[in-house]
Amino acid sequence: MDFREEMMEAYRRAYEAHPGLEAFRGRKKALLWGMMALFALSKLLTAIPAWNYASHAVIVIGGLMGLVIPGIFALAVWRGGWRFSLALLLPAASIALELFRSWFPALAAGGDFHPLFHVTLWTAVATCLYLVGVVLYLSVPAKNRAYGEVLSQVTESLILRSKELAAQQRPGQPAPAGGYLAPGSVPAAPPAQAAPEPRAAVPPDAPSPQAAAPSFPQPVPAGAGPEGTEPLSCYRQIADAAGPEGLDDSFSLSCPGPEQGGIRFAAGARDGITMYHTHIETKDDPALHEILALISAGYLQSEERLNSYFDDAVKGPRMLSLIDGLQGWIAGHREELDPGMLYRFAGHIIRESRRPECVKLGLSLLEMLHGTPEEEAELRRVISTLALCDEFTLFCLYVIRGWEDGAAQLFRLAKLVHGWGRIFLVHELPADSQEVRDWLLREGWRNTVLSNYSTRLCAQRGGLPELLAREELTTEEWTAARELTTALLEEQPLPGLSAMEEGPAMLEDLLRHAARTALTAEDRSALEQLLPYLTENGREGEAWEALAQRCRGLLAP
């Protein structure tokens, strides 16, 4: 395959991957040729008055030379991304300045002007407005910006390829750095051959996507770097460490970027602290919107841009504050974005990224998007694995709750995680079966962070007031009720028993059951914790005093 055929193939793949790209390229070419035609017309109109008294050769050469600078601008815009189109504002400003400095004042002064004056004047006005219009067309619509970046990438890859071919014809000349990478392909190997067929950036055990599906540059497989030193992605770390009972307590993600002052947050802690102890300020960042538009258009360096956006692990942006604004922006621009490209990128990034916030972005996208049944089945496995790590449980549950069996999967995961992940899951877990309610009473509130985050929720959804109101309790029911009620006595950082309307009645029922039970050491310990609660913190009155007196009586030797 010669270079021309390779070039046509590169554009063909780009057109297949990005519907509408070919039409955009045609419109961009027509706009730039239209710009050159207007400049040529302006040069012709200025040359007409001098045609009869100046050298024709000088006029022709001067006119052609006058088109060099506009040609340079046109070539830069044609080969570059959308930002290069902003350069057209320079000649537009130059023309506008000349119009307001010379032409309009002359016209305002009045007089009998030759028709050629008016033609030349309004041609200059049209050229100025045309340039502004081209800039607006290429730089304002998000889809056009993304198309421009894709075409720029195709052009860059073809330039590199031409340099590779030229280097092969000069023995001893090294090939240019970077290699040839056409949209939807992986690096050509060796350079002398045509670029291989596109393949998606998925782990080796994932099913192959359809051949026509656009893809992203194939990453180096995790752990396959020089002498096995390539760091593992977050997903690979979790998948390698997970067992039937989830992750070991000693598991810790290895992520790029130092922690501030050597402090390392527990998995999920930063999101959890933000949710429970601060006000989540929803942010809407245009920089992230631009990256999403590039992802939608298949921009080859979109993953690099995303990594740079989330590069600062300490002070950088956090997905928890961005998710609502991001999803709202996507919903408002659904006509401009390619959901297939976003879905495939999200699947790629949750498998391969080492940056937790990038993984959370991918999960946030998957909450809104759907793929083929085969793709959904594969990503279901990946998401269920990521959910085992407290750092990702919150964002995974946003996706899982939309599954047909989402409630059952959330319950399964809640039993496998024990830190912030369990706290997040308990908050979202529907108490739609007796099994779930019993688990909430016995285990749901227990976590390795602080039980207070979940005790009141578990008591309410698990039916603790109703359980205590029964006439008789089994030993297991009494133990569960006593332990959860004792945990509810803790009122910080969230209100516990005091925030429950049934609180006093629950304590009365608890003491009633205690009076019928042969108290164990654990029972007595619970009553010893209850007594100060009944007599302190401003709890006064006959009802509280009566409860305290009954508690003292039960503790009496």
Side-chain angles (χ1 to χ4, degrees), residues 417-497:
V417 294
H418 305 280
W420 280 102
R422 173 171 288 190
I423 296 171
F424 298 143
L425 284 164
V426 165
H427 190 271
E428 296 290 334
L429 185 63
D432 54 3
S433 69
Q434 190 58 46
E435 181 185 8
V436 174
R437 289 190 288 271
D438 289 343
W439 181 81
L440 289 173
L441 286 175
R442 291 171 169 79
E443 295 294 331
W445 54 275
R446 304 178 194 272
N447 58 69
T448 57
V449 181
L450 191 64
S451 62
N452 172 261
Y453 288 116
S454 302
T455 48
R456 180 158 53 93
L457 193 63
C458 287
Q460 292 170 329
R461 292 184 182 176
L464 179 60
E466 294 80 7
L467 178 65
L468 286 168
R470 294 180 188 175
E471 283 298 319
E472 301 288 340
L473 296 179
T474 65
T475 301
E476 292 77 12
E477 290 172 339
W478 160 247
T479 300
R482 183 204 70 215
E483 291 180 342
L484 181 49
T485 305
T486 303
L488 282 166
L489 302 180
E490 177 59 56
E491 299 280 356
Q492 294 294 333
L494 303 181
L497 189 66

Side-chain angles (χ1 to χ4, degrees), residues 23-25 27-28 31 85 131-141 144-145 147:
F24 172 81
R25 183 170 183 251
R27 289 192 295 271
K28 183 176 180 180
L31 287 172
S85 66
L131 290 172
V132 174
V134 172
V135 172
L136 293 176
Y137 176 78
L138 296 179
S139 64
V140 173
N144 288 355
R145 292 200 304 268
Y147 280 151

Side-chain angles (χ1 to χ4, degrees), residues 92-146:
S94 176
I95 295 172
L97 181 64
E98 183 64 23
L99 286 171
F100 283 100
R101 187 175 59 183
S102 302
W103 291 83
F104 288 152
L107 186 64
D112 187 16
F113 293 100
H114 192 279
L116 187 61
F117 172 87
H118 293 283
V119 174
T120 305
L121 169 63
W122 295 113
T123 299
V125 172
T127 303
C128 182
L129 295 176
Y130 187 89
L131 290 172
V132 174
V134 172
V135 172
L136 293 176
Y137 176 78
L138 296 179
S139 64
V140 173
K143 190 136 192 166
N144 288 355
R145 292 200 304 268

Side-chain angles (χ1 to χ4, degrees), residues 29-221:
K29 180 188 293 186
L31 287 172
L32 294 177
W33 275 115
M35 181 190 80
M36 292 303 299
L38 283 172
F39 275 109
L41 178 60
S42 296
K43 293 298 179 183
L44 176 62
L45 292 173
T46 56
I48 289 176
W51 188 258
N52 294 325
Y53 57 83
S55 170
H56 293 177
V58 172
I59 294 174
V60 171
I61 294 174
L64 293 176
M65 292 298 293
L67 293 176
V68 170
I69 293 179
I72 292 174
F73 277 97
L75 183 61
V77 174
W78 176 248
R79 289 178 51 172
W82 67 269
R83 291 179 179 82
F84 282 81
S85 66
L86 301 178
L88 296 180
L89 294 176
L90 293 176
S94 176
I95 295 172
L97 181 64
E98 183 64 23
L99 286 171
F100 283 100
R101 187 175 59 183
S102 302
W103 291 83
F104 288 152
L107 186 64
D112 187 16
F113 293 100
H114 192 279
L116 187 61
F117 172 87
H118 293 283
V119 174
T120 305
L121 169 63
W122 295 113
T123 299
V125 172
T127 303
C128 182
L129 295 176
Y130 187 89
L131 290 172
V132 174
V134 172
V135 172
L136 293 176
Y137 176 78
L138 296 179
S139 64
V140 173
K143 190 136 192 166
N144 288 355
R145 292 200 304 268
Y147 280 151
E149 295 295 342
V150 173
L151 288 176
S152 175
Q153 288 295 299
V154 175
T155 302
E156 289 177 12
S157 67
L158 291 173
I159 291 173
L160 287 173
R161 180 58 173 159
S162 66
K163 291 180 180 179
E164 288 176 356
L165 293 175
Q168 293 168 17
Q169 297 174 4
R170 298 193 298 273
Q173 181 73 18
Y180 171 49
L181 186 63
S185 69
V186 294
Q193 300 176 359
E197 290 299 314
R199 52 195 174 97
V202 295
D205 57 343
S208 300
Q210 299 176 355
S215 63
F216 298 90
Q218 183 75 8
V220 179

